[in-house]
Amino acid sequence: MFKQLLLLLAALMFGMSALAADNQYTLGVKGVACPYCAYGVEKHLNKVDGVENVSVDIGDSVVRVTMAEGATLTEVKARTAVKEAGFTLQSFSQAQAKRGESNDP
């Protein structure tokens, strides 16, 4: 019984992450070179309505933004937030839901 519950919980978590992929964005930000830089970008992006999570990969200068269900991030909003943090937005893309991944039997 316990194993079945764990499997069900794992399936639900996997399913939720697949659904969240529709609300994820990847930003290329020029000049993010240290934790302080990352904090500034996070701080300004978190002020955008609907942002649930921001993670910064300093090594690759990539920022991943997760939006609340039903919310979208426009390139204009992203560019403005990044500029207010003192950086330049180099690229903007919405994560694509992976095809072929399904929890349906």
Side-chain angles (χ1 to χ4, degrees):
M1 177 70 176
F2 184 71
K3 285 184 179 180
Q4 291 172 336
L5 184 58
L6 282 176
L7 287 173
L8 179 61
L9 182 60
L12 284 171
M13 289 174 53
F14 178 75
M16 293 301 285
S17 66
L19 290 174
D22 290 340
N23 289 336
Q24 292 183 352
Y25 298 83
T26 302
L27 314 177
V29 180
K30 184 178 180 180
V32 177
C34 68
Y36 184 74
C37 300
Y39 172 74
V41 172
E42 286 179 32
K43 180 180 169 184
H44 283 85
L45 282 167
N46 276 316
K47 291 179 183 179
V48 175
D49 286 339
V51 170
E52 283 190 340
N53 185 44
V54 177
S55 65
V56 180
D57 182 339
I58 296 170
D60 292 333
S61 294
V62 172
V63 180
R64 289 174 184 81
V65 180
T66 304
M67 301 298 289
E69 185 176 335
T72 58
L73 179 65
T74 65
E75 186 170 353
V76 171
K77 287 181 184 178
R79 186 173 306 281
T80 300
V82 169
K83 184 176 180 180
E84 288 174 354
F87 300 94
T88 302
L89 183 68
Q90 286 187 306
S91 64
F92 175 88
S93 63
Q94 183 174 5
Q96 299 298 314
K98 296 178 182 174
R99 295 181 184 262
E101 289 186 359
S102 175
N103 291 332
D104 296 337

